Amino acid sequence: MGITFRNETFRNDFTFRNSPEHIRRFPFPFHEDSYMYAVNIEPHVVGPKGSVLENLIDVDEHYVAEMQDRALVLAEDPLRCQSLPHMTLAGWDLLELLMEQQALGYPEHFTLTRDGDRWRWINRPLGIDDSFTFGDVSTLPYGPMEYITRQSQGDFCILDQRDGNLWMDAGMVTTQADWSLDFDIGMNFFEWHAPVPLAHEKGIFVRALKFLTNIQQGKPARRLNWTMTINPRLDTSPENYHKWGPDRTTVTPENVGDKVHLRVELQSFWRLPRSNGIVFPIRCYLIKMDELVTQPKWARRLHRVIRDLPEELANYKGLTRYRATLVEWLSKLDDGSPTSPGFGPD
């Protein structure tokens, strides 16, 4: 049985919603009642059926709408997709990875057939049926990275490994949480993480870089990251801050449940076979407070996490203006009872 894709928007009238089954599969990022920035990297292996980890590359009910939103962003700002000249081979690596994973996990929606370098890719949800020569850019309508990431949920950064560091030398970034590919392109791992508070002093990024530079092919890793967003807006880029920044001033006790969204990133890390680069998919999931609190455990836990969050992290994540309003609203749903360990709902 295939996925039923929703007709929805992530801008203007904001018709995005999660179906009840997708609320329960949401990747809630807190395994306990408090939060502090940590490396929290684990092997990226297949998880429980019905979860976002059922397949290593997740496709869900929002797929078609997210791809439509990506096309709108790219039409407005083509620099959201960039690849330095030496990264073309890594783009082909990524194309292969995403086609293989989507066809493996969702054969009713995607088909990849190969005869040597002659490949055929069928993407039924988007009405695509293309034949091309693997390795020959002239046989695709875009470069390989752009071609496949116009058909894949989440952002993608391709990192070149050299001089003991990782360099952000290619990417497709249209659903980011307030950072800019155009600004970060060509930066190394420490440079693009410079704004993160508290983590540098704890040596978190030194340990993370050591781990990432030792990732082996066929053994991807993952972690969860989170922030909050007002309205279900995928494109919260610095370039468009004038569109979404003022939304933070519109939160009231009456509209918290509808406007405030938990924004979770499932970040994974894969060694690419030919280029030896690392691809860093950043898959964004959104859930409004009214949806999240249908799971009582999550309501209690989120109240405690946001209430006790260190001020530096609250500022970094942009919560300061509406944090008190959110905490007060969530407090009415927290009876003080214990929460069970782990991420999932009860």
Side-chain angles (χ1 to χ4, degrees):
M1 182 177 176
I3 301 167
T4 300
F5 299 107
R6 298 177 66 88
N7 181 16
E8 59 192 358
T9 59
F10 301 90
R11 55 181 69 207
N12 300 325
D13 56 351
F14 296 111
T15 61
F16 166 87
R17 299 290 185 275
N18 287 297
S19 65
E21 58 269 28
H22 274 69
I23 291 173
R24 287 190 62 83
R25 81 191 293 271
F26 185 81
F28 189 72
F30 308 113
H31 69 281
E32 58 187 6
D33 290 353
S34 61
Y35 173 80
M36 176 51 72
Y37 203 95
V39 175
N40 69 308
I41 295 176
E42 63 181 5
H44 187 36
V45 295
V46 171
K49 187 174 178 59
S51 75
V52 300
L53 300 176
E54 181 177 351
N55 294 291
L56 296 183
I57 295 294
D58 184 42
V59 176
D60 66 15
E61 64 185 5
H62 309 298
Y63 172 76
V64 172
E66 288 190 25
M67 296 303 91
Q68 291 169 343
D69 194 76
R70 167 155 291 163
L72 291 173
V73 174
L74 291 170
E76 296 166 355
D77 184 2
L79 292 179
R80 302 296 189 85
C81 181
Q82 298 190 48
S83 180
L84 299 184
H86 63 283
M87 298 299 287
T88 301
L89 182 60
W92 286 109
D93 281 336
L94 178 58
L95 176 143
E96 178 184 54
L97 170 66
L98 293 177
M99 286 185 176
E100 286 182 343
Q101 289 296 324
Q102 290 179 341
L104 175 66
Y106 309 91
E108 67 275 31
H109 296 301
F110 306 96
T111 302
L112 174 64
T113 55
R114 289 177 276 199
D115 180 9
D117 290 339
R118 293 295 300 157
W119 291 26
R120 183 184 179 191
W121 171 245
I122 301 174
N123 178 330
R124 295 177 186 86
L126 299 184
I128 293 170
D129 185 344
D130 286 336
S131 296
F132 61 94
T133 301
F134 186 87
D136 184 350
V137 175
S138 69
T139 60
L140 287 175
Y142 306 98
M145 180 192 71
E146 181 172 357
Y147 176 77
I148 195 56
T149 56
R150 281 179 174 265
Q151 304 175 51
S152 304
Q153 287 171 280
D155 289 335
F156 296 86
C157 300
I158 306 183
L159 315 177
D160 191 31
Q161 183 167 330
R162 61 182 187 271
D163 304 327
N165 212 325
L166 296 172
W167 303 79
M168 191 180 297
D169 285 349
M172 168 71 84
V173 181
T174 67
T175 68
Q176 70 271 51
D178 198 13
W179 66 277
S180 170
L181 174 69
D182 192 39
F183 184 78
D184 288 355
I185 194 82
M187 285 188 180
N188 69 39
F189 187 79
F190 296 115
E191 291 169 339
W192 85 70
H193 281 111
V196 181
L198 303 179
H200 294 276
E201 296 90 327
K202 295 175 179 293
I204 286 172
F205 292 122
V206 172
R207 296 197 301 275
L209 179 64
K210 182 177 181 180
F211 179 90
L212 293 172
T213 54
N214 285 288
I215 282 181
Q216 299 175 28
Q217 187 182 343
K219 296 183 178 180
R222 67 176 177 239
R223 68 183 293 268
L224 292 176
N225 193 22
W226 70 277
T227 186
M228 305 199 86
T229 300
I230 308 306
N231 297 317
R233 189 188 296 273
L234 285 175
D235 178 18
T236 55
S237 59
E239 289 88 346
N240 278 336
Y241 181 80
H242 61 286
K243 296 180 181 179
W244 59 267
D247 290 348
R248 294 172 175 174
T249 68
T250 66
V251 178
T252 68
E254 294 72 33
N255 65 23
V256 169
D258 185 56
K259 273 188 169 284
V260 178
H261 288 67
L262 180 61
R263 182 189 193 104
V264 173
E265 295 173 349
L266 173 57
Q267 305 175 350
S268 56
F269 314 88
W270 307 64
R271 176 71 65 187
L272 297 173
R274 302 169 185 82
S275 61
N276 199 45
I278 291 178
V279 64
F280 176 25
I282 309 167
R283 176 65 193 282
C284 173
Y285 297 86
L286 294 167
I287 188 169
K288 66 168 61 183
M289 291 298 100
D290 279 343
E291 294 172 340
L292 183 141
V293 301
T294 63
Q295 310 303 313
K297 169 186 169 179
W298 290 354
R300 297 195 304 273
R301 177 160 291 168
L302 185 63
H303 168 242
R304 298 165 195 181
V305 166
I306 300 300
R307 179 194 64 196
D308 300 336
L309 196 67
E311 199 66 34
E312 299 95 328
L313 284 177
N315 289 334
Y316 172 67
K317 292 180 181 292
L319 313 184
T320 304
R321 189 178 289 271
Y322 58 88
R323 180 185 185 185
T325 304
L326 174 61
V327 169
E328 174 63 22
W329 187 85
L330 288 169
S331 71
K332 297 179 174 64
L333 301 164
D334 185 356
D335 61 4
S337 60
T339 54
S340 60
F343 300 98
D346 290 331

